[in-house]
Every structure is written in C-alpha cells, then in structure tokens.
Amino acid sequence: MSIEALNLFLAPSYENFPKGRTIGIVVLRTTQSETIFRTEGSGEPMCSEYVQAGVVDFTSIPRLVMTKRKQIAPERRRGREFLRSHNLLHTAPKHNNICALNTNAPCEMCIDCFLYGFAAGGEGAQKSRVWTEDAFSILPANDVIGDRTINAIFETGTMRDEKGNPSTALNTSEYIKPGVHFLDVVTFKDLTADELRYALGNILLTSRYGAVSSRIGRMENQILGVFGGFAELPSSLELVQGVHDNLAGSKDALEHPLQPQALITAIESVIANWTNKRGVSIQLSKNQLDELIADVDKHWALDLQFEFLNRLDESYQPFRIVKNSDGQTTKSKKAGK
C-alpha cells in the first residue's frame, strides 16, 4: 500500500506531544454549482482579497477567498455524521451531554476532538492537528462572480397579492459561478495511518460548502499531491501564484472557465519541484497517490467502515481517563450507552 511510503511521517500511535512529523496535501476545490462564501448575512459581498497575481506577475488583483473555517467546518460535520451513526460520539462527563460542535461542551474523547481539537469544556484543550489556510481562486474575483436577482411570487404567480400589494421579497445577491477553481494546501501533524485515512475521507466525502448549502454550494475536491517531511509546504497563495504564471505562459487562455486538464497539468508542474524545498522529503508518485486514495475509499466503504472507525476510536482509550468535579476518575461513555 502507498500509505507505507509515508510511514516515516506517521505516528505509530497517538501521542500528546508533537514530534515534527508532517504530511502535506494539495487540494483542488472546484465549484459544481452556484456557491456563496461570505462572512456576513444576505447581500454582503463575496470574501475576497487583493493579492499579487503571480510570482513574476506583480499585478495586484482581487481573488476570491475560501476561508479556513469555510473548509474545515463542513468537513468536520461530515465526519461526525459517520461517528454519530456508529455511536462513536462520547458523553462529556462534566456536562452529561453528547459531544456537539459550537456548544461549549466538547466530549474531549471522540475521534473529532482528538484530531481537530477543542478549546473549551473540562480540564484542558487539544490543538488541532489538521492545519488549514485560506484557499484562493486562480482567476480574479470579478471574472468568476455573477449577480442573481431573487424574488418570491405569490400563489397567483405574480409579484402582487390579491389586493394588488407588491411583494417586498426582491433582492440582488452575488454568487460564485460553477466551474471556479480554488487551490488549497492542508497540513497534517503527527497523524497515525488511521487518522490520515479519516481526515482524507472527510475531505473527499464532503460535497457542500458555503451559505445556503441545502440548495447550492456543491463542490468537488481532488487531491493532486501528497508530501511527507518535517516542515510545511509552500502556502496556498504561493501555489496559486505559481499556477497563474504557468498558465499565463501557455497557449491555454487564462479565463473562465479554465480547461481542467490544462489546469491540473499546471498544478502538477508547479508542485513537482517542492521536494527541493527545505524540510520537504518525499512526494508520492501518481500511482502511489491513486493507491492511497483507493486505500482511503476501501476503509470508508460500508463493509469496513464500522471496523475502521471503531479501531480508530479505541486507539484513544488510554488517554480518556478524566477527573470529575470530585477528583475521581471516570471512564468515557459513548452516545446511547
């Protein structure tokens, strides 16, 4: 299995203290429908930043930003769906509540807490071992944003009710067009093999991001590179700028929609030299990458999913002894137990 090629950078078992083992991945995120990334409510503009267009192209352009929280939150929730279905979310001893996000009551004992961390609850905190950063669009924001007029008609099929009063439900909102590409670099710190399978599965299985995700926000994630070392990879912004320069120097037009294969070729060309960066030791080959993703798919398949998640959950058992308010030790309790 190709995961064995990463053994030097994988922890044999969970440990409380970091040891500098790093696995970095390059993710291409492509919108498959209208999508909205913004920080406030309806009517606010899309998240964007003015940055340098390329490494050698010093032009300042606005790029769309898929912020860290817009990435990690849906992926955590996706993983927790499977933990909940297999009764693997634990009860917080001090609160007697099942582990839940954004409730200030993490259980501090489930797979999600151990991997993605927590900063509230019982007697301490766990730093996330999945490091994310802002993902940037390859093309300028004004090339990939559209405007949509939103209205709500009455049952008469018009914008006026039976008394002739006009509807007030009329608004114009920005959206990100389908086929827009975001590039992202994700870093895993001191993960075990099963933790890596879990984290990669969450990325590959998550398909909805942003606002109004019940109707829009469909996105496809592709892993195009996996690296091992003792330092982080170049940033998402550096990657986007390198790809911009690569495409600008090719015959393929740098306009929406980008030709997918030309884009992937440009990304692979940029990351091919990353093993020359300080602290980056290896890059999985194309065959090894395909085998790794097949390995992840195998463990997440229905016939092995329960065994896989239970094995990962049990690996944390030695670290689950906690103290209650009386100073006595208690054992973890799973949901429904």
Side-chain angles (χ1 to χ4, degrees):
M1 294 186 297
S2 64
I3 201 166
E4 295 176 353
L6 297 169
N7 277 348
L8 186 62
F9 314 103
L10 291 169
S13 61
Y14 171 77
E15 299 169 338
N16 278 329
F17 295 96
K19 291 188 175 178
R21 292 165 293 211
T22 300
I23 294 173
I25 67 171
V26 173
V27 185
L28 174 63
R29 304 179 185 271
T30 305
T31 59
Q32 301 293 318
S33 70
E34 296 177 9
T35 307
I36 298 174
F37 294 135
R38 59 188 174 214
T39 55
E40 301 296 338
S42 177
E44 293 294 320
M46 296 295 108
C47 296
S48 64
E49 291 286 350
Y50 273 89
V51 294
Q52 190 171 300
V55 177
V56 297
D57 182 352
F58 298 107
T59 307
S60 179
I61 63 170
R63 278 196 164 103
L64 292 174
V65 178
M66 185 180 182
T67 61
K68 299 177 288 292
R69 293 184 182 276
K70 298 296 183 184
Q71 303 164 41
I72 206 72
E75 290 162 6
R76 288 187 70 175
R77 290 195 297 267
R78 184 62 171 145
R80 290 172 66 89
E81 289 180 14
F82 294 101
L83 299 183
R84 189 176 296 107
S85 67
H86 291 300
N87 197 29
L88 292 175
L89 290 177
H90 295 252
T91 301
K94 281 195 171 184
H95 304 279
N96 201 33
N97 294 323
I98 300 302
C99 186
L101 294 177
N102 302 322
T103 61
N104 200 34
C107 70
E108 309 178 26
M109 292 180 284
C110 68
I111 295 171
D112 181 82
C113 283
F114 271 100
L115 185 56
Y116 292 97
F118 56 87
E123 300 183 353
Q126 169 79 45
K127 186 174 182 179
S128 175
R129 289 178 291 135
V130 179
W131 293 8
T132 57
E133 53 185 281
D134 292 341
F136 292 88
S137 64
I138 297 171
L139 295 176
N142 48 15
D143 288 356
V144 293
I145 285 180
D147 289 317
R148 179 76 65 203
T149 300
I150 304 168
N151 67 342
I153 62 175
F154 293 101
E155 291 190 41
T156 59
T158 70
M159 291 292 291
R160 292 184 178 274
D161 62 16
E162 63 275 10
K163 297 181 180 179
N165 298 317
S167 171
T168 58
L170 183 64
N171 188 30
T172 300
S173 180
E174 288 185 339
Y175 68 92
I176 301 168
K177 298 176 181 178
V180 175
H181 305 282
F182 293 82
L183 277 175
D184 191 19
V185 174
V186 181
T187 303
F188 303 120
K189 294 280 290 182
D190 296 293
L191 265 58
T192 66
D194 278 344
E195 286 178 326
L196 180 62
R197 292 181 178 111
Y198 180 82
L200 292 178
N202 287 348
I203 293 172
L204 293 170
L205 290 168
T206 303
S207 58
R208 297 272 180 170
Y209 293 84
V212 205
S213 57
S214 61
R215 299 192 292 277
I216 61 176
R218 190 67 184 264
M219 179 169 281
E220 179 188 22
N221 296 322
Q222 295 174 267
I223 299 174
L224 299 182
V226 177
F227 297 79
F230 57 89
E232 289 187 79
L233 298 174
S235 68
S236 300
L237 181 56
E238 291 176 84
L239 174 57
V240 166
Q241 290 170 334
V243 171
H244 170 93
D245 287 344
N246 188 292
L247 290 173
S250 70
K251 58 180 175 56
D252 298 290
L254 196 58
E255 59 184 27
H256 182 75
L258 291 172
Q259 205 282 325
Q261 190 52 54
L263 173 59
I264 291 174
T265 299
I267 295 169
E268 292 174 341
S269 175
V270 171
I271 67 177
N273 297 318
W274 277 8
T275 50
N276 297 326
K277 302 288 185 179
R278 183 178 292 113
V280 181
S281 301
I282 66 167
Q283 177 185 3
L284 294 190
S285 67
K286 181 67 168 63
N287 287 340
Q288 288 175 319
L289 175 56
D290 290 341
E291 290 172 5
L292 175 62
I293 294 175
D295 177 76
V296 172
D297 290 339
K298 174 185 174 183
H299 282 79
W300 278 98
L302 287 176
D303 56 338
L304 289 181
Q305 187 181 114
F306 178 76
E307 176 188 343
F308 159 58
L309 292 176
N310 269 272
R311 183 176 69 234
L312 177 54
D313 179 77
E314 291 171 2
S315 70
Y316 302 119
Q317 193 58 36
F319 303 90
R320 286 188 177 130
I321 303 303
V322 296
K323 290 184 179 181
N324 60 23
S325 57
D326 298 325
Q328 298 176 332
T329 58
T330 58
K331 293 184 178 181
S332 64
K333 295 184 291 182
K334 295 179 183 178
K337 296 292 186 183

